[in-house]
Amino acid sequence: MNEETVPTPLSSAGRKAWRALYEAHALVTRRIERDLTAIGGGSLSDYGVLFTLSNAPGGRVRLSELADAAMMSRSGATRLVNRLEEGGFLERIACDTDKRGMFAVLTEAGRGEMRRIWAVY
């Protein structure tokens, strides 16, 4: 390790600010999840994937890039994409230029679900 890679300890004020941010994030996330459950909606992760797709050109993102774009693990994204596909909210299509590549593509039902979740989010 050199000087540039050694983390600088936070000051007392910095630790308090970091803790406040951490607690606020947890509180907001729990409340959103609770409210989504109350309407029978998907999870916050569902929204993350649907939002990512809705903002992508053509409503599609390569599966290999979706996890990073939605801030998820690759295995978590795979399970979520499977569930969203089963629900009709997205579909997978093969990449024309790379036969190994697949895209997740937002469906109209997915756009509707995203709008419904957004109302709570």
Side-chain angles (χ1 to χ4, degrees):
M1 276 184 144
N2 61 38
E3 281 184 39
E4 294 176 32
T5 60
V6 176
T8 304
L10 292 174
S11 65
S12 176
R15 285 191 304 276
K16 287 178 185 175
W18 179 250
R19 182 65 187 188
L21 175 63
Y22 176 78
E23 289 175 359
H25 177 269
L27 176 66
V28 169
T29 300
R30 279 195 307 267
R31 286 188 180 174
I32 291 170
E33 290 283 359
R34 180 197 66 204
D35 292 348
L36 289 172
T37 298
I39 67 161
S43 68
L44 201 48
S45 295
D46 292 358
Y47 180 79
V49 168
L50 296 175
F51 181 81
T52 297
L53 291 172
S54 71
N55 285 299
R60 65 190 219 166
V61 174
R62 286 181 76 99
L63 289 174
S64 62
E65 298 168 2
L66 187 59
D68 291 337
M71 296 180 277
M72 303 178 68
S73 69
R74 295 208 188 285
S75 61
T78 298
R79 288 189 300 274
L80 183 54
V81 164
N82 289 342
R83 191 167 47 77
L84 291 171
E85 185 176 34
E86 288 171 9
F89 301 128
L90 63 81
E91 60 185 9
R92 295 174 208 233
I93 61 168
C95 178
D96 293 336
T97 59
D98 176 4
K99 296 303 177 192
R100 295 174 298 158
M102 296 291 288
F103 286 99
V105 181
L106 190 63
T107 64
E108 282 305 311
R111 288 185 197 287
E113 180 67 0
M114 192 198 66
R115 285 190 297 273
R116 190 170 83 91
I117 293 172
W118 174 251
V120 172
Y121 180 73

